[in-house]
Amino acid sequence: DADVTQTPRNRITKTGKRIMLECSQTKGHDRMYWYRQDPGLGLRLIYYSFDVKDINKGEISDGYSVSRQAQAKFSLSLESAIPNQTALYFCATSDWADSVQETQYFGPGTRLLVL
Amino acid sequence: EDKVVQSPLSLVVHEGDTVTLNCSYEVTNFRSLLWYKQEKKAPTFLFMLTSSGIEKKSGRLSSILDKKELFSILNITATQTGDSAIYLCAVDSNYQLIWGAGTKLIIKP
């Protein structure tokens, strides 16, 4: 089984709809992240969480919200989807105990299309 | 503002060639620099660099960091079609990864 899983893998939705992307991990890591990837822009951080009680905004949090339901689960919501939120979304995890390194492990991605 | 810049943005070479990918950075609190390879799916970790002048190697790939000039290079020798991918550079600054836009590498047979 994959260490970091994301559901759904692909999603088409309409403008104004609320959708949720889910991420689960079996790596036992404390830190979890949500990124979006657009062609030519690399990865941009949306939100991150260092533990269940810690949620932080990233570079592009507007229009998004998150929930850290447990150490292993981190969900991303688009409250009212708009077409420029069409992108590839990645969840990632890293280990707090690995204090020197910030190696992140990525899920397979969710491809979202907002019409 | 922290930033990471990769060059070139795209590169097309023939199988067997050697390529050098560049990553320069300006960040407030450098902790490490990481290279990832992204094929069709999620990025996968290649190297982490923390000290200047120490080369990291894995097969035909190698990387080195220059903390004085604020850049890193990723070399791939004897390229193969399977090396075709987007190569991403990221810098850990204050426990957050700042990502470059990536270099799209295409290896022609």
Side-chain angles (χ1 to χ4, degrees):
Chain A
D1 287 339
D3 294 322
V4 185
T5 57
Q6 292 182 234
T7 57
R9 295 293 310 279
N10 294 280
R11 178 74 183 268
I12 300 173
T13 191
K14 294 183 178 181
T15 296
K17 294 290 186 181
R18 182 181 189 277
I19 66 165
M20 180 182 288
L21 309 183
E22 299 189 355
C23 176
S24 294
Q25 52 115 347
T26 58
K27 298 186 76 67
H29 287 170
D30 287 319
R31 301 181 184 186
M32 298 187 74
Y33 309 79
W34 275 105
Y35 291 96
R36 66 177 279 176
Q37 187 176 36
D38 300 274
L41 293 179
L43 288 162
R44 292 186 290 167
L45 183 64
I46 305 172
Y47 271 96
Y48 62 102
S49 170
F50 282 177
D51 64 39
V52 174
K53 297 179 182 179
D54 177 79
I55 303 288
N56 304 282
K57 293 183 176 181
E59 179 187 356
I60 53 162
S61 59
D62 288 348
Y64 302 94
S65 62
V66 290
S67 173
R68 185 82 184 266
Q69 301 95 323
Q71 186 204 38
K73 295 184 181 296
F74 193 36
S75 300
L76 175 72
S77 294
L78 284 67
E79 299 301 326
S80 179
I82 56 177
N84 77 1
Q85 291 178 313
T86 293
L88 181 58
Y89 289 85
F90 285 107
C91 174
T93 73
S94 67
D95 189 0
W96 171 259
D98 210 3
S99 59
V100 176
Q101 301 176 12
E102 189 61 22
T103 306
Q104 294 186 1
Y105 300 88
F106 286 81
T110 295
R111 194 169 292 279
L112 175 66
L113 173 61
V114 183
L115 300 175
Chain B
E1 181 184 344
D2 291 349
K3 65 179 179 180
V4 176
V5 178
Q6 292 186 245
S7 63
L9 292 181
S10 65
L11 184 59
V12 181
V13 300
H14 287 99
E15 208 167 18
D17 289 349
T18 293
V19 297
T20 298
L21 309 183
N22 302 288
C23 176
S24 63
Y25 61 90
E26 292 179 33
V27 299
T28 53
N29 184 21
F30 178 90
R31 287 166 23 93
S32 64
L33 184 145
L34 300 97
W35 284 98
Y36 285 79
K37 178 181 182 182
Q38 185 179 22
E39 296 175 86
K40 292 184 179 178
K41 297 184 178 179
T44 54
F45 173 76
L46 292 174
F47 297 113
M48 188 195 73
L49 302 153
T50 56
S51 301
S52 282
I54 299 175
E55 186 181 50
K56 294 283 184 85
K57 292 197 72 170
S58 177
R60 296 176 293 101
L61 277 67
S62 64
S63 184
I64 198 161
L65 174 68
D66 185 329
K67 291 171 71 174
K68 182 179 177 183
E69 300 297 329
L70 308 182
F71 76 93
S72 174
I73 59 172
L74 175 67
N75 279 320
I76 309 175
T77 59
T79 53
Q80 302 171 358
T81 55
D83 295 326
S84 295
I86 297 173
Y87 290 83
L88 297 166
C89 172
V91 173
D92 176 3
S93 175
N94 294 320
Y95 298 94
Q96 288 189 46
L97 286 184
I98 312 300
W99 294 84
T103 293
K104 185 174 184 178
L105 177 63
I106 297 173
I107 310 297
K108 289 189 170 182

